[in-house]
Amino acid sequence: MIRLAVCLWLAMASFALALDPSEMLDDPVLEAQARELDHAMRCVVCQSESVASSNAQWAVDTRRVIREQVAAGQTNDQIMDFFVERYGEFVLMAPRTSGSNWLLWAAGPLMFLLAAGVGIGYVRGRSRAVQPATSTLNAEEAKRLREILKE
């Protein structure tokens, strides 16, 4: 239990170390905008971490560029477009739903609806299936069954 707590503490501490205080902007409003962008961008080196939580040199440079552009008065969309133009939509933690990405966003719900339709069709087909006729034993079979059970 203590080992788990120490591991969790170290993991959370590593996120705090990702942003160097010298990288921060003096204006808290601009810094909040920059941090929002840090969390919206994917580190292309780490690939599973946001720029905010990565210590890779690429992420450090990206945080610096983000802060330069925020200080220059760029909007979030302009800054994100800047990085998408250079690295593709992979750099975004949440890809946009425009262009050909709509198919990726719609694939999950479409597969669910397809599976639900197949399941409903299967259940309805089973309910309409012809039930096997129950057969009763004739007198000779019933007599033979009683003999077998007595043995």
Side-chain angles (χ1 to χ4, degrees), residues 50-84:
S50 69
V51 169
S53 60
S54 174
N55 285 323
Q57 186 60 43
W58 186 89
V60 172
D61 293 340
T62 301
R63 287 193 297 267
R64 182 185 46 77
V65 170
I66 287 173
R67 278 158 180 73
E68 287 173 359
Q69 291 188 1
V70 166
Q74 299 285 322
T75 65
N76 288 3
D77 288 336
Q78 290 172 327
I79 296 169
M80 291 175 102
D81 289 342
F82 172 82
F83 283 100
V84 167

Side-chain angles (χ1 to χ4, degrees), residues 34-64:
R35 285 182 184 231
E36 180 183 333
L37 287 164
D38 288 347
H39 289 284
M41 306 287 257
R42 180 187 319 271
C43 177
V44 297
V45 175
C46 306
Q47 297 186 1
S48 63
E49 292 184 53
S50 69
V51 169
S53 60
S54 174
N55 285 323
Q57 186 60 43
W58 186 89
V60 172
D61 293 340
T62 301
R63 287 193 297 267
R64 182 185 46 77

Side-chain angles (χ1 to χ4, degrees), residues 14-136:
S14 69
F15 293 128
L17 297 174
L19 182 63
D20 186 9
S22 66
E23 296 176 7
M24 295 175 63
L25 295 170
D26 294 331
D27 185 358
V29 174
L30 294 179
E31 180 60 29
Q33 179 186 358
R35 285 182 184 231
E36 180 183 333
L37 287 164
D38 288 347
H39 289 284
M41 306 287 257
R42 180 187 319 271
C43 177
V44 297
V45 175
C46 306
Q47 297 186 1
S48 63
E49 292 184 53
S50 69
V51 169
S53 60
S54 174
N55 285 323
Q57 186 60 43
W58 186 89
V60 172
D61 293 340
T62 301
R63 287 193 297 267
R64 182 185 46 77
V65 170
I66 287 173
R67 278 158 180 73
E68 287 173 359
Q69 291 188 1
V70 166
Q74 299 285 322
T75 65
N76 288 3
D77 288 336
Q78 290 172 327
I79 296 169
M80 291 175 102
D81 289 342
F82 172 82
F83 283 100
V84 167
E85 184 178 308
R86 282 157 183 74
Y87 300 103
E89 287 207 21
F90 177 75
V91 78
L92 302 177
M93 288 297 282
R96 297 176 178 156
T97 57
S98 61
S100 61
N101 285 347
W102 71 267
L103 183 60
L104 295 174
W105 283 95
L110 289 174
M111 294 302 284
F112 174 76
L113 291 174
L114 178 67
V118 168
I120 289 170
Y122 177 75
V123 169
R124 283 190 174 179
R126 294 275 302 183
S127 66
R128 292 182 187 153
V130 177
Q131 300 295 328
T134 57
S135 62
T136 56

Side-chain angles (χ1 to χ4, degrees), residues 1-13:
M1 184 67 173
I2 293 175
R3 287 182 183 179
L4 177 63
V6 169
C7 288
L8 289 173
W9 180 78
L10 288 173
M12 291 192 307

